[in-house]
Amino acid sequence: MVANDDRATFDQLWGWTRQHLLNTQNDLFYWRYTLDAAEPLADKNNASDGDVLIA
């Protein structure tokens, strides 16, 4: 989004990602979030490809 000169959208997406997907014990990100589930983070493992893209 920043590359498209849309910093506001990038900041909003990054904020949501950090708030909902960040594992504060190891600073990696949970790989799966299901919005309508009773427990949206049913699988709290990280995905190495996602962590590499975030880095």
Side-chain angles (χ1 to χ4, degrees):
M1 298 299 162
V2 174
N4 293 323
D5 198 25
D6 190 356
R7 182 62 190 238
T9 299
F10 173 84
D11 288 342
Q12 188 176 21
L13 288 168
W14 181 236
W16 185 94
T17 300
R18 289 185 53 83
Q19 180 181 355
H20 295 283
L21 300 179
L22 178 63
N23 180 340
T24 58
Q25 293 179 345
N26 60 21
D27 290 330
L28 298 174
F29 291 82
Y30 302 129
W31 80 274
R32 185 174 185 180
Y33 186 90
T34 306
L35 182 63
D36 296 330
E39 174 53 54
L41 293 170
D43 186 342
K44 294 186 178 182
N45 292 304
N46 69 298
S48 57
D49 57 338
D51 293 321
V52 168
L53 289 171
I54 288 172

